[in-house]
Amino acid sequence: MRPVVSQVLSEADDGGSRRPPAAAGATAAALLLSLCLGFPPSVAACPPDCLCASDIVSCSGRNLSTLPLDLPGYATRLDLSHGALAALPAGWIARPFDRLATLVLSRNAVARIEPDAFALTPHLLHLDLSSNRLAVLNASVFRGLEELEVLLLFGNRIVRIEPGAFGGLRGLRRLYLSGNRLEAFPLELYQGPAGPRNLTFLDLSSNRLRRAPVQSLLSLPAWQQAGIYLQGNPLVCDCALLALLEFWVWKRYRPLVDFRGDYPCGLGGDGAGARPSCAGQRQGAADNFLEAGTHRVEPGDWLRVPCPGLAPPTQGEPVAFWVAPRAVLRSPGDDPSGRLLVLPNGTLEIRGALLEDSGTYVCVAARGRPFDPGESPEATVSVGNSSVAPDAGSAHGGGAEHFNTAFTTLASCVISIVLVLLYLYLTPCRCREGRAGGGARGCGGRAVLLCSDPREVDSGERRSNGKRVAFLEPQAGDSDTGGPKTPAMNSAHGNTEGILKNGSRTVGQTLTDPAHVA
């Protein structure tokens, strides 16, 4: 805050041209009093070595070895790149930056980051530490950055990442670690108890990786596998790695599509990188290959599923990984239940099939050739009457089929009821307005008659096959006489064929009163 004090004091000294001397002196005295009492000034000036534009503060290229103490706290982006910062201790930031979202520390000489170094910047979304001198990422080095989404660490000298280094970074989505000296794949990023949960982009290119954890990588969701970049590493091309790369080429993941020539095993098509000789690879054009398909089995039975597209091995055992709906299988101990195992020839065996075993199984094996158009390493297993959706990749115990059957039955019942109601209530009926010996006794508002031919009604003809059904509710004033109401009925020659709704009569009762015959 020293520049603010000097600025106000200078204005006070030049009071003759800017403001009255008494006003300038009062302003300076008030500012000094507020500083002595510990109250910060309401106006924050831009440091002399920085450039400020609205909420952006840039101190890039100033060769700063320490952070200026009078940085404005309203900044959302702070650029300290191209400086001489050698370490980030716990108190390297003197004041909280609650609004800071982007912090750029690239191209400094940072070799050490202490815990809680970012405690005063809890809302960072983008942190750039690229092109520094970091060699080891200690535990909890990024503690407090729970909202961080992008972390740039490329161009350092990182040789080791200790457990817990990325603990708490639950919001991390993109991590750049290329151009370092890593020799082991940081699986903790995906398997750590407190690590990122939504990591979609991991750049490990141009490190010193010689082995890739193929089985662990295949166990990741597809949206995470698709964002792993491994090009430019001295990877040893064995049958397991070749199987993984061929599978990723078939899936058309961006790392293989964009940097295919920078991977081993001759994926670039230029002959660079010899492919290993793996059992099950194509030996000639006349070989017969097992195609993908649907395999059905009854619950409790055993099933063997050959690896699609893999030739029968003439010698040796092929390296085959089976990506099951709930696990990635290679050795007999990979399935906790012990019912799923991979045979030496690459065939998957399911012992005592259960309904939950239904689903899509993918055989990842080194075939030594590109996939033909329309060819797939997937096989569908259906247990019992269960059905698997084409894009589901797993079974649901026949729930879809059962739902369809129940829905069809319910729809049929509803349609039948609607048709019955339409027949009972909407069939045209001609009712006479009067009857001999009685007053007006038509349909009125109390009855809907389903009559036979109206001409028969008018002529008084009665036919045994002319069924008539009436729904009547007694109403006051409906009869000229004060006698009791008699519910209507269906009668042909005095015999009741059926009563659908009547609270006082039973089926089969004989009625003889002609006054109530429709």
Side-chain angles (χ1 to χ4, degrees), residues 267-289:
L267 295 180
D270 53 0
R275 296 190 179 188
S277 178
C278 304
Q281 291 183 345
R282 173 180 294 180
Q283 302 297 328
D287 292 339
N288 294 323
F289 295 93

Side-chain angles (χ1 to χ4, degrees), residues 182-200:
L182 293 173
E183 297 181 357
F185 191 98
L187 275 176
E188 188 188 7
L189 285 167
Y190 301 100
Q191 301 176 354
R197 292 293 179 269
N198 300 311
L199 192 64
T200 60

Side-chain angles (χ1 to χ4, degrees), residues 274-364:
R275 296 190 179 188
S277 178
C278 304
Q281 291 183 345
R282 173 180 294 180
Q283 302 297 328
D287 292 339
N288 294 323
F289 295 93
L290 299 171
E291 300 297 334
T294 301
H295 304 265
R296 296 188 177 274
V297 62
E298 293 299 324
D301 292 345
W302 288 27
L303 175 66
R304 288 187 175 183
V305 182
C307 181
L310 188 66
T314 56
Q315 59 181 359
E317 299 178 358
V319 176
F321 301 88
W322 278 92
V323 182
R326 288 172 297 278
V328 177
L329 311 173
R330 181 180 180 183
S331 58
D334 293 335
D335 180 29
S337 65
R339 297 183 302 101
L340 306 179
L341 54 90
V342 180
L343 301 181
N345 62 353
T347 298
L348 174 67
E349 184 174 77
I350 303 177
R351 300 179 177 181
L354 302 176
L355 291 178
E356 54 265 28
D357 293 331
S358 299
T360 301
Y361 293 75
V362 184
C363 180
V364 181

